[in-house]
Amino acid sequence: MNTLPTVLAFDVFGTVVDWHGSIASEVTRLGLQVNPDAFATAWRQGYRPAMAKVRSGALPWTKIDDLHRLILNDVLDDFNIQGLSENQIHHLNLVWHRLNPWPDTVTGLNRLKKQFTLVTLSNGNLGLLANMAKNAALPWDLILSAEVFRHYKPDPETYLGVAQIFDIEPSAVMLVAAHKDDLASAYECGLKTAFIERPLEFGAKVTRTDLHVETYINYHAKDFIDLADQLGT
Amino acid sequence: MNTLPTVLAFDVFGTVVDWHGSIASEVTRLGLQVNPDAFATAWRQGYRPAMAKVRSGALPWTKIDDLHRLILNDVLDDFNIQGLSENQIHHLNLVWHRLNPWPDTVTGLNRLKKQFTLVTLSNGNLGLLANMAKNAALPWDLILSAEVFRHYKPDPETYLGVAQIFDIEPSAVMLVAAHKDDLASAYECGLKTAFIERPLEFGAKVTRTDLHVETYINYHAKDFIDLADQLGT
């Protein structure tokens, strides 16, 4: 466990970018008559059930842009929001391409990039992740997505796929994520693991209660700067 | 035809990097008793027949690293090179991960990146392209490969796949390549096209005779600086 990995694979939504704050801001900017926190939370809550339908085969392969739109249609209904044009709804759906990084993200990634190969391992689709990276100056060496593997996390094909892409052992890959279930699944596949706390992931009103140390987590860091410090970069 | 594309998709071997010169240098450095030009040419000549076997279904999906190794084994035999260890052969095979960019490549790409989304569209596998980009500081917004589409160029799935990834029309994508057959295939799929001359692609001893203007080529440029000038970036 003391050997360092060569590839760091990053979960993106919540770990690298602040989906909750970015969506709440967009909703506020649009002047929608809703609670921005509740709207952001509701949109994100549709995400796992939608992916579960793809993972179980109930839906054919569907990329996240399209799942986000299906969920958004329901959320707009649920919040009784009317009067948006198709163009406005389409633009709102693409807010996931414009999510803001956390304050430490770009500095931390640029430090880590000097020593490690940095890749994404996200359920977001390739176009979304590429647009996000260009918009937010995220210095990925390679953007990998569920779309490449045609499997959503936590299917093992995703974690093991990163190692196969680079022709290295799973233990030479470390998943970096703010979500323990993701890390536990990666650990079961033989990857190393780094947890990032991200206390504001679900908004300032929600206190995360899952920030304690776990046996399956190799590095527990406050943010990417702290992780770079711990890894000696 | 006057509207500019939003995504530039680059062929890589020969267009972005100098495979012939890089391989010849590696062979010279290794002290192999062969003509470095002939060795580089022979290795590359095995590439199309090997991919054709995958495209026809005679071989199952095989990534370029593995095709390169199959060809290399034959080339080492043909040139009667003996005495290399498995580690040395493996390292030599990975020279494709370490190919050098042309002198204008990095400056040109960084200029183009200010206005366009830059992606690769290469038959090289993702790990190869990521290692190459990190080694040579190639500033891709997204690395796309035949490996993503499970089709090798010139299958239409590759050219059309770029447009699908970004949810844009094929005409909003421009293929940038030093090979006219690649450009002709992209043009048939509705993409825009830019030809880059690369007169030294096959070594200093081979004079390219295919540098004239073609009706299916939208931009004809000497190098990436010239292309950036023509595109006004």
Side-chain angles (χ1 to χ4, degrees):
Chain A
M1 206 39 78
N2 285 324
T3 57
L4 286 174
T6 56
V7 172
L8 305 187
F10 289 78
D11 172 67
V12 172
F13 300 128
T15 301
V16 173
V17 291
D18 172 15
W19 59 267
H20 190 281
S22 303
I23 290 172
S25 296
E26 180 95 359
V27 165
T28 303
R29 229 179 352 259
L30 274 172
L32 300 187
Q33 298 301 309
V34 294
N35 178 315
D37 281 325
F39 188 94
T41 300
W43 200 355
R44 180 69 172 174
Q45 273 175 348
Y47 182 74
R48 274 171 184 257
M51 281 194 304
K53 284 185 197 166
V54 174
R55 292 183 63 222
S56 73
L59 273 182
W61 179 261
T62 310
K63 64 182 180 181
I64 289 290
D65 275 343
D66 297 327
L67 294 178
H68 277 149
R69 178 58 193 264
L70 293 172
I71 304 161
L72 176 59
N73 291 344
D74 287 345
V75 172
L76 290 174
D77 270 354
D78 292 346
F79 281 80
N80 201 23
I81 297 170
Q82 290 161 345
L84 291 179
S85 69
E86 170 55 30
N87 274 350
Q88 287 175 310
I89 297 173
H90 181 69
H91 183 78
L92 175 57
N93 194 51
L94 298 185
V95 67
W96 296 89
H97 295 218
R98 303 184 298 269
L99 299 180
N100 298 316
W102 298 106
D104 57 283
T105 291
V106 175
T107 305
L109 291 179
N110 279 309
R111 273 183 63 188
L112 291 163
K113 185 170 177 165
K114 290 177 190 162
Q115 185 169 344
F116 303 98
T117 293
L118 306 190
V119 310
T120 60
L121 182 60
S122 170
N123 285 335
N125 46 293
L126 291 170
L128 181 160
L129 294 168
N131 288 336
M132 176 197 286
K134 195 169 183 73
N135 187 55
L138 307 176
W140 304 122
D141 290 307
L142 180 63
I143 290 176
L144 288 174
S145 156
E147 193 178 7
V148 171
F149 305 114
R150 296 275 152 165
H151 282 273
Y152 280 120
K153 289 191 293 183
D155 286 355
E157 287 84 352
T158 58
Y159 307 109
L160 296 175
V162 178
Q164 286 159 2
I165 290 281
F166 286 98
D167 198 19
I168 56 180
E169 294 297 319
S171 61
V173 180
M174 181 155 77
L175 183 73
V176 182
H179 312 121
K180 289 185 170 178
D181 50 354
D182 198 5
L183 294 167
S185 300
Y187 185 80
E188 279 175 30
C189 289
L191 277 68
K192 291 190 173 63
T193 54
F195 179 69
I196 310 294
E197 292 192 348
R198 301 300 182 212
L200 297 176
E201 174 175 1
F202 302 98
K205 291 171 191 158
V206 177
T207 302
R208 288 187 71 153
T209 58
D210 62 345
L211 301 184
H212 45 282
V213 172
E214 307 280 0
T215 55
Y216 56 84
I217 290 176
N218 302 122
Y219 297 88
H220 184 118
K222 286 196 186 313
D223 57 24
F224 291 168
I225 308 286
D226 183 20
L227 181 63
D229 286 342
Q230 290 188 42
L231 294 174
T233 65
Chain B
M1 204 42 80
N2 286 324
T3 56
L4 286 174
T6 56
V7 172
L8 304 187
F10 289 77
D11 172 66
V12 172
F13 300 129
T15 302
V16 173
V17 291
D18 172 15
W19 59 266
H20 190 281
S22 304
I23 291 171
S25 295
E26 180 97 358
V27 165
T28 303
R29 230 180 351 259
L30 275 172
L32 300 187
Q33 298 302 306
V34 294
N35 178 314
D37 282 324
F39 188 94
T41 300
W43 200 355
R44 181 68 174 175
Q45 272 175 348
Y47 183 75
R48 273 172 185 256
M51 280 193 305
K53 284 186 197 165
V54 174
R55 292 183 64 222
S56 73
L59 272 182
W61 180 259
T62 310
K63 63 184 181 180
I64 289 288
D65 275 343
D66 297 326
L67 294 179
H68 277 149
R69 179 58 193 265
L70 293 172
I71 304 160
L72 177 59
N73 291 345
D74 287 345
V75 171
L76 290 174
D77 271 354
D78 291 346
F79 282 79
N80 201 24
I81 297 170
Q82 290 160 346
L84 292 178
S85 70
E86 169 55 31
N87 274 350
Q88 287 176 308
I89 298 173
H90 181 69
H91 183 76
L92 175 56
N93 194 51
L94 297 186
V95 66
W96 297 89
H97 295 219
R98 304 184 297 270
L99 299 179
N100 298 315
W102 298 106
D104 57 282
T105 292
V106 175
T107 304
L109 291 180
N110 278 309
R111 272 183 62 188
L112 292 163
K113 186 170 177 166
K114 290 177 190 162
Q115 185 168 344
F116 302 98
T117 294
L118 306 189
V119 310
T120 60
L121 181 60
S122 170
N123 285 334
N125 44 292
L126 292 171
L128 181 160
L129 294 167
N131 288 336
M132 176 196 286
K134 194 168 183 73
N135 186 55
L138 307 176
W140 305 122
D141 290 307
L142 180 63
I143 290 175
L144 288 174
S145 156
E147 193 178 7
V148 171
F149 304 114
R150 295 277 152 162
H151 281 274
Y152 280 120
K153 290 190 294 183
D155 286 355
E157 287 83 353
T158 57
Y159 307 109
L160 297 175
V162 179
Q164 286 158 2
I165 290 281
F166 285 99
D167 198 19
I168 56 181
E169 295 296 318
S171 61
V173 180
M174 181 154 78
L175 183 72
V176 182
H179 311 121
K180 289 185 170 177
D181 50 354
D182 198 4
L183 293 167
S185 300
Y187 185 79
E188 280 174 30
C189 290
L191 276 70
K192 291 190 174 62
T193 55
F195 179 68
I196 310 294
E197 292 192 348
R198 301 301 181 211
L200 298 175
E201 175 175 2
F202 302 99
K205 293 170 189 159
V206 176
T207 303
R208 288 188 70 153
T209 57
D210 62 344
L211 301 184
H212 45 281
V213 170
E214 306 281 1
T215 55
Y216 56 84
I217 290 177
N218 302 122
Y219 296 88
H220 184 116
K222 287 196 185 314
D223 57 24
F224 291 167
I225 307 288
D226 183 19
L227 181 63
D229 287 342
Q230 291 188 42
L231 294 174
T233 63

